[in-house]
Amino acid sequence: MKRKKREMKPRRVAIVTSIHPDFDARIWKHARILAANGVGVDLICPWQVKDREEIDGVTLHPFPMATSRAKRLFQVPLRVLPRLRAVLAQVDIVHFHDIDLLPWMAFVSLVKPVVYDVHENYAHEMLVREWVPVVLRRPLYHAVHWGQFLLSMVVRNIVLVAPSQKPDFSNPRFRQTYIYNYASVALLDGVADNHDSREDAVVFIGSQHINNGSLLLLDIAEKMAEKVPGVKLLATDRFSSTAFRNHVTSEIKKRGLQNTLELIPNVKPHELMAVLNRATIGISPNLRVPQQIMGIHTKIFEYMAAALPVVVSDLPHQVGVVEATGAGILAQPEDINSFVSAIASLVADRGRAVQLGRNGQQGFKDSYCYESQAQALLAFYDQILAA
């Protein structure tokens, strides 16, 4: 008689992040999905919460956020490792989310199973980050690429968020799975069913930096003021640096866009739907650069959850989502008018806009909500513990 396979689901998991802000969407979704499936969670994070406070079944272990990029090198291990050590004996797996923790987690992996959650194509990021001097970008690319590869060989267990990351972890030693950065199904609870009666408004909820299309948004807003006057563009006040924010705000004044482009306060993930409920169209003008081409952008799924028709750059992954669901219109980031024309067509035909939004929301429910990946994550933990 065949023996029944032993249940390997972890009793408790420590999730560790060094830089993600309070209730960051990816981190909080990960913690809550485990708790909802009966796994105890200790979340070690730089958040402004009470020590050992429990929220939604997640026990929080906060520490002060690093005060600068330079100080992070020594502040993070001094603040993170004591908190991890306090719970290490009680957890079955340590699952961390930031590359700056990788050297320390390689050591932890010698005594406890560790999972490295690779959020971005970090080596490629070195080629486009504004704070990296141009002369250092290529050397840093190679340093990050090989440093990540060698330390990850020690950790072994890898979570990827996009197929474009696969070449960086192409070795049989790695155990890996994909957990895509989809939006949480909990967003659906806050959707206001008044799309027919809302005032026309376009919303952008991404982080503000050049490759994400922030300067392109300025051009789009300027053209919108001519072609669809009275339609507002709402954009999150979340910038990569104070200098870049100052540049964008000065451009808004210089171009006379104060009545067209409104910067709205950044909100916590569970408050996001209050922002999306103000809009009738979601926009994502990502530039056609390697960093953006290789990524999967969460805001697309958040727009879909809110039943907003999307106007997005025709990058490979976004093409796949829009064509599979009928959620909106593709535009070319090299062509400002392609975005403005798409917006104008949706403003002129509210019935079509509402239908595209409904298509997207149904596609989100069927295929693109984060919770649909719970079993894949638990199966990966099972594989790790069984090994």
Side-chain angles (χ1 to χ4, degrees):
M1 184 173 69
K2 265 191 171 181
R3 291 179 61 188
K4 186 178 180 181
K5 183 182 174 185
R6 186 164 63 93
E7 176 59 58
M8 300 299 294
K9 186 174 80 172
R11 298 182 305 277
R12 199 161 192 90
V13 172
I15 298 174
V16 188
T17 177
S18 60
I19 61 173
H20 287 84
D22 291 10
F23 298 95
D24 171 84
R26 170 92 179 176
I27 307 300
W28 194 233
K29 284 182 295 190
H30 178 196
R32 292 184 69 202
I33 201 174
L34 291 182
N37 281 274
V39 178
V41 181
D42 289 291
L43 176 52
I44 298 166
C45 53
W47 297 359
Q48 295 184 16
V49 292
K50 296 177 183 176
D51 190 31
R52 295 190 176 275
E53 180 179 5
E54 185 172 316
I55 302 175
D56 293 347
V58 178
T59 303
L60 299 159
H61 304 266
F63 60 88
M65 177 78 82
T67 53
S68 72
R69 188 174 286 111
K71 292 179 180 178
R72 189 188 302 162
L73 292 173
F74 61 88
Q75 285 181 337
V76 164
L78 289 175
R79 294 172 180 181
V80 169
L81 295 179
R83 286 160 180 80
L84 177 58
R85 183 180 177 185
V87 302
L88 196 59
Q90 286 76 49
V91 303
D92 302 299
I93 288 174
V94 177
H95 189 138
F96 74 98
H97 283 264
D98 304 301
I99 192 171
D100 60 342
L101 293 169
L102 181 55
W104 311 104
M105 293 301 170
F107 283 107
V108 174
S109 71
L110 301 177
V111 297
K112 187 76 66 170
V114 170
V115 177
Y116 174 27
D117 204 310
V118 191
H119 285 212
E120 300 179 32
N121 298 82
Y122 290 112
H124 293 277
E125 288 283 316
M126 297 301 101
L127 299 175
V128 297
R129 285 296 185 192
E130 299 91 347
W131 54 268
V132 179
V134 174
V135 70
L136 295 179
R137 289 182 180 181
R138 183 59 59 175
L140 272 176
Y141 165 83
H142 290 292
V144 172
H145 172 78
W146 288 109
Q148 177 178 249
F149 178 79
L150 293 173
L151 289 167
S152 296
M153 287 282 281
V154 180
V155 172
R156 296 193 66 182
N157 309 303
I158 308 296
V159 168
L160 304 177
V161 300
S164 60
Q165 296 173 310
K166 179 74 172 177
D168 289 339
F169 299 92
S170 57
N171 187 286
R173 178 172 172 79
F174 291 121
R175 286 185 288 265
Q176 55 191 248
T177 191
Y178 289 97
I179 302 296
Y180 297 104
N181 202 16
Y182 298 153
S184 173
V185 73
L187 282 175
L188 295 172
D189 295 337
V191 179
D193 189 19
N194 62 348
H195 296 77
D196 292 321
S197 58
R198 293 181 195 174
E199 290 188 12
D200 292 304
V202 182
V203 68
F204 173 78
I205 55 172
S207 298
Q208 300 282 3
H209 55 84
I210 291 174
N211 291 332
N212 223 18
S214 294
L215 299 184
L216 179 55
L217 270 180
L218 290 171
D219 296 333
I220 291 169
E222 197 167 17
K223 288 281 186 181
M224 280 174 54
E226 299 172 11
K227 196 163 185 177
V228 280
V231 177
K232 274 211 163 188
L233 199 163
L234 312 172
T236 308
D237 192 349
R238 186 170 76 240
F239 286 81
S240 56
S241 68
T242 302
F244 187 53
R245 185 185 188 280
N246 291 339
H247 174 70
V248 170
T249 53
S250 69
E251 281 293 310
I252 291 172
K253 291 177 184 176
K254 180 181 174 182
R255 302 189 195 197
L257 297 175
Q258 296 92 327
N259 294 324
T260 302
L261 177 54
E262 178 186 342
L263 292 178
I264 56 178
N266 187 34
V267 299
K268 294 176 181 178
H270 64 276
E271 299 168 341
L272 180 61
M273 196 53 67
V275 172
L276 297 177
N277 284 337
R278 293 178 58 187
T280 54
I281 299 168
I283 191 171
S284 184
N286 313 79
L287 302 189
R288 204 182 306 279
V289 296
Q291 174 209 29
Q292 299 293 317
I293 291 170
M294 293 186 291
I296 293 176
H297 308 292
T298 309
K299 57 183 172 288
I300 306 300
F301 310 114
E302 291 166 336
Y303 297 151
M304 290 166 62
L308 297 180
V310 300
V311 177
V312 298
S313 297
D314 60 346
L315 306 183
H317 180 75
Q318 295 178 170
V319 169
V321 173
V322 170
E323 289 184 347
T325 61
I329 302 174
L330 297 165
Q332 297 76 49
E334 303 81 10
D335 181 6
I336 300 164
N337 287 321
S338 67
F339 279 92
V340 178
S341 295
I343 291 166
S345 71
L346 294 174
V347 169
D349 189 349
R350 178 62 70 88
R352 180 187 178 217
V354 169
Q355 185 56 56
L356 293 178
R358 288 173 180 162
N359 293 346
Q361 189 180 66
Q362 190 59 53
F364 169 76
K365 292 176 182 176
D366 293 342
S367 306
Y368 296 108
C369 64
Y370 186 84
E371 286 76 6
S372 66
Q373 304 174 104
Q375 294 312 308
L377 179 59
L378 293 173
F380 186 55
Y381 287 162
D382 181 280
Q383 180 188 356
I384 293 166
L385 293 175

